[in-house]
Amino acid sequence: QAQFVESGGGLVQAGGSLRLSCVSSESTFSLNPIGWFRQAPGKQRELVAAISTGGNPNYADSVKGRFTISRDNAKNMVYLQMNTLKPEDTAVYYCNRDPFSIQSGAFAYWGQGTQVTVSS
């Protein structure tokens, strides 16, 4: 079952900002890298940002310089600050652990995600 709950999505104009939050119920949260994924209608889910256990971030080229991922292990939380949003950022956003394993095809349970809609 999904162990992550995402929130913070909404409707925003192009150029605007949103901050997504993800809370985990896993006791091992701090021991795992965490990633933010997104899935647009008709497209495959893609990894947009990941953060290591030590706080080192990685970003997809499409969001580099605009999105910032961070984590608070004391609160079992991961955040995604999204700035200069574009219509092509419109998608349902999800978080999950072991993002690179998932990207390589590993099975994962998913939460409900949070919808981000960017109007032009």
Side-chain angles (χ1 to χ4, degrees):
Q1 295 86 357
Q3 302 291 336
F4 298 88
V5 178
E6 304 88 353
S7 63
L11 174 63
V12 63
Q13 288 189 329
S17 299
L18 283 173
R19 187 192 193 212
L20 306 184
S21 299
C22 165
V23 61
S24 171
S25 59
E26 297 186 334
S27 60
T28 57
F29 174 83
S30 65
L31 303 179
N32 294 300
I34 305 293
W36 279 98
F37 298 77
R38 68 185 181 189
Q39 187 167 21
K43 294 188 177 181
Q44 288 193 329
R45 192 163 3 219
E46 62 171 342
L47 176 64
V48 296
I51 188 164
S52 70
T53 55
N56 294 315
N58 275 283
Y59 301 98
D61 287 343
S62 59
V63 307
K64 202 170 292 183
R66 300 188 297 121
F67 289 12
T68 302
I69 188 171
S70 60
R71 67 189 297 165
D72 184 341
N73 288 335
K75 297 181 180 179
N76 274 24
M77 298 283 294
V78 178
Y79 306 97
L80 187 68
Q81 177 66 45
M82 306 187 296
N83 298 328
T84 319
L85 282 161
K86 304 176 180 180
E88 51 263 44
D89 295 318
T90 295
V92 180
Y93 285 71
Y94 305 86
C95 62
N96 218 320
R97 77 170 102 80
D98 298 326
F100 297 113
S101 296
I102 294 173
Q103 191 180 39
S104 298
F107 176 79
Y109 290 101
W110 297 93
Q112 301 250 356
T114 187
Q115 175 71 48
V116 172
T117 303
V118 184
S119 63
S120 57

